[in-house]
Amino acid sequence: MGLKGFVEGGVASIVAGCSTHPLDLIKVRMQLQGEPAVQSLRPAVAFQTAAASHTIHLPPPPRVGPVSVGLRIVQQDGAAALFSGVSATVLRQTLYSTTRMGLYDILKNKWTDPNTNNLPLTRKIAAGLIAGGVGAAVGNPADVAMVRMQADGRLPLEQRRNYKSVVDAISQMSKNEGIASLWRGSSLTVNRAMVVTASQLASYDQFKEMILERNLMEDGLGTHVTASFAAGFVASVASNPVDVIKTRVMNMTVEAGKAAPYSGAVDCAMKTIKAEGPMALYKGFIPTISRQGPFTVVLFVTLEQIRKLFKDF
C-alpha cells in the first residue's frame, strides 16, 4: 500500500508538472522582476538629497503582467522557450513530489482513527509538513536546476548559462560551484515545500470531506475540481513570499572572491523589501495562482483517476 501511494502520487505529479510548466516559467520570470540581471540592488524610491545630488537614480522598470511576459518569451526565443527547464521539472516531480505524496499518504493512513475513519485537520497539516520537508530535501538539486534553466532567458546573451538539460545543469553546477551549490537555498525549499504540502494536501482532503459530508456534490469530477482549486488558492497565498525568496536565492550568481548578493533567506527578504517594497514578496502571485490552481486541479483529478485504476492492485 505504501509503495502504491508513491507511484500514484509520482505519476500524477509528473503529469501536472509538465502540463503547467509554461505557467511556472512565467511565474519565475515575474518573481525576478525588479532584480537586475547583474546582481545589484536599486532602491524602490530615490530620495533627492544634497549628498546624493551627483547620483542619477533610474526609476524601476514598469511591471508587466503574465500575458505580456509570456508573449515576450515567445517573441524573443520562440514558443519552445516556454518549456525551458521541463526536464528539470520531470526530475523534480520524480524526486520531490513522489516522496511527499507517498509519505503523506502513509502518514495519513497511519494517523487516521480506524473506528471513525476520520483524521483531524491538525494531523493532516502535520503530515503535510513532514512529507513536504522530506520531499524537498530529496529534490533540491532538481529544483535549483529548474529555477536556473527557467530564469536563463532573462539574462544578457553573454551571461546565460545555456544548460542543455537538467543533467548538464547539475553537472556544471557541481563542477564550477561545488556540490554544495546543488543544495543552495535548501532551507527555503524545505520551508516552502512544508507550507505548500501542508496547505495543498491537507486543504484538499478537508474541502473534499466538507463537500461530501454536506452532500453538496457526489464523489466525482466536480468535487475533485472544486476541492483541488480551493486547495490551490490556499497554497498560493501561503507559499508565495517563501517562493519569491527561494527563487532569488537559487538564481543568484556567486563570483569567486566576491561576497554573495544574499547571505541567506532573511537577508534576501530584507533587501528585497528595502529595494522594492513589502509587496515584492507577492510578485508573480497572479501567475502563481494561475499555475497553482491548474496544477492542483490536474494533480488531484489525475490522482483520483489513477487510484480508481489501481484500486484492485
Side-chain angles (χ1 to χ4, degrees):
M1 288 297 294
L3 180 60
K4 190 171 78 165
F6 283 94
V7 174
E8 292 171 346
V11 172
S13 298
I14 291 171
V15 171
C18 291
S19 60
T20 59
H21 183 81
L23 295 172
D24 194 45
L25 184 143
I26 292 171
K27 176 203 72 175
V28 167
R29 295 287 179 89
M30 289 189 71
Q31 288 175 338
L32 292 171
Q33 284 182 20
E35 183 188 51
V38 178
Q39 298 286 351
S40 62
L41 290 169
R42 175 184 58 251
V45 180
F47 294 97
Q48 297 296 327
T49 63
S53 60
H54 64 282
T55 304
I56 298 175
H57 294 281
L58 297 176
R63 296 182 184 180
V64 293
V67 175
S68 299
V69 172
L71 289 174
R72 182 184 296 172
I73 293 170
V74 173
Q75 290 170 355
Q76 291 180 348
D77 302 308
L82 291 172
F83 284 90
S84 296
V86 72
S87 61
T89 292
V90 173
L91 180 60
R92 177 178 180 269
Q93 298 299 340
T94 301
L95 297 175
Y96 159 63
S97 287
T98 298
T99 302
R100 73 173 184 131
M101 297 290 285
L103 187 55
Y104 177 80
D105 201 46
I106 289 174
L107 293 174
K108 188 174 71 171
N109 291 332
K110 184 179 180 63
W111 291 347
T112 297
D113 189 329
N115 298 320
T116 62
N117 203 32
N118 283 332
L119 182 66
L121 178 59
T122 52
R123 290 199 173 188
K124 291 173 187 168
I125 293 173
L129 291 171
I130 295 171
V134 174
V138 172
N140 199 80
D143 209 5
V144 177
M146 183 183 71
V147 167
R148 288 195 171 198
M149 293 173 75
Q150 289 177 335
D152 212 35
R154 69 181 289 274
L155 296 172
L157 289 174
E158 66 276 8
Q159 293 182 20
R160 292 187 182 182
R161 301 172 178 111
N162 295 317
Y163 298 134
K164 298 180 179 64
S165 66
V166 63
V167 175
D168 181 50
I170 291 175
S171 176
Q172 285 196 41
M173 287 175 63
S174 301
K175 181 180 178 181
N176 300 329
E177 302 175 51
I179 295 293
S181 67
L182 297 178
W183 273 270
R184 179 173 296 152
S186 58
S187 62
L188 287 165
T189 307
V190 170
N191 291 337
R192 177 190 177 274
M194 292 173 71
V195 171
V196 169
T197 304
S199 56
Q200 186 186 65
L201 301 189
S203 60
Y204 172 77
D205 285 339
Q206 194 68 22
F207 283 127
K208 181 180 173 183
E209 287 176 11
M210 290 170 58
I211 291 171
L212 296 178
E213 287 174 358
R214 299 179 185 182
N215 296 316
L216 299 176
M217 285 186 279
E218 295 181 355
D219 189 3
L221 185 61
T223 297
H224 303 157
V225 171
T226 303
S228 58
F229 192 83
F233 179 79
V234 172
S236 298
V237 172
S239 67
N240 203 88
V242 182
D243 202 23
V244 170
I245 302 304
K246 176 183 78 73
T247 296
R248 294 191 171 199
V249 170
M250 286 184 169
N251 186 58
M252 70 177 178
T253 300
V254 181
E255 298 180 11
K258 295 184 178 180
Y262 308 119
S263 61
V266 174
D267 181 55
C268 181
M270 295 303 294
K271 285 181 177 177
T272 298
I273 292 171
K274 183 178 179 180
E276 303 165 52
M279 288 309 295
L281 297 178
Y282 273 92
K283 276 188 174 181
F285 179 75
I286 297 301
T288 293
I289 185 61
S290 299
R291 184 259 181 187
Q292 192 70 258
F295 175 86
T296 311
V297 170
V298 175
L299 172 66
F300 287 113
V301 169
T302 304
L303 181 62
E304 296 285 1
Q305 297 307 309
I306 293 174
R307 282 175 175 169
K308 289 180 180 178
L309 191 65
F310 287 177
K311 66 179 181 180
D312 294 328
F313 291 90

